[in-house]
Amino acid sequence: MIAVGDVLVRALASGGGAMARVADEGDAGALLGPHVHLFRPDPKRLDAWFLAGFLGAEENIAGASTGSTVLSVSPGRLRVPLLPLEEQRRYGEAFRHVHALRAEAQRATRLGEETAAAGGRAHGRAVAAVEGGGGEGTRQGC
């Protein structure tokens, strides 16, 4: 079972989005999926966001991936620098901030796409109403 603070790494290096992240309260108690690697760092020795940041780095994933069509991540081939815990925490805070910015950017993109799609549907209904609803036969611009 997944616990808060676990580091989750996608097992397949394809598609968009973050390759690694730290599990939160919403993940706690869930079962680990078949295409996810789990790392459970000891918080007294290793900062979870530091670990997630380095495990999910593009160069690290590329070096730990095998395959030609589907790239599988081999967790034993991932590399993490050895740094004092206080320095890890500084890196971890930066990685956490970047993760939050990416999540908000993805959310804004999704909302923008949903709004554009809804606007298109509304535009179609407005045109149909103008064209189908007689009156004086004048068409208003949309």
Side-chain angles (χ1 to χ4, degrees):
M1 292 182 123
I2 297 172
V4 173
D6 285 349
V7 176
L8 308 172
V9 179
R10 290 185 4 220
L12 301 177
S14 58
M19 283 297 299
R21 68 180 180 84
V22 176
D24 60 19
E25 293 80 16
D27 302 307
L31 297 176
L32 190 65
H35 299 292
V36 180
H37 298 298
L38 183 140
F39 295 81
R40 184 162 288 158
D42 176 356
K44 295 176 190 163
R45 299 177 53 206
L46 193 58
D47 182 83
W49 279 103
F50 167 81
L51 182 61
F54 278 98
L55 291 179
E58 189 175 326
E59 303 81 25
N60 206 3
I61 294 295
S65 298
T66 57
S68 56
T69 307
V70 176
L71 296 176
S72 298
V73 177
S74 301
R77 295 179 65 186
L78 292 166
R79 300 290 175 242
V80 178
L82 298 173
L83 298 175
L85 187 56
E86 284 308 311
E87 196 169 346
Q88 290 178 32
R89 287 184 178 140
R90 285 193 296 274
Y91 272 98
E93 189 56 37
F95 287 135
R96 181 192 323 248
H97 185 68
V98 168
H99 177 78
L101 287 173
R102 283 184 179 154
E104 282 303 310
Q106 289 171 349
R107 180 178 167 274
T109 298
R110 186 180 68 253
L111 290 173
E113 290 169 351
E114 290 171 3
T115 301
R121 289 189 298 274
H123 175 75
R125 285 192 299 272
V127 169
V130 169
E131 291 174 350
E136 299 175 18
T138 59
R139 183 173 169 175
Q140 299 174 357
C142 294

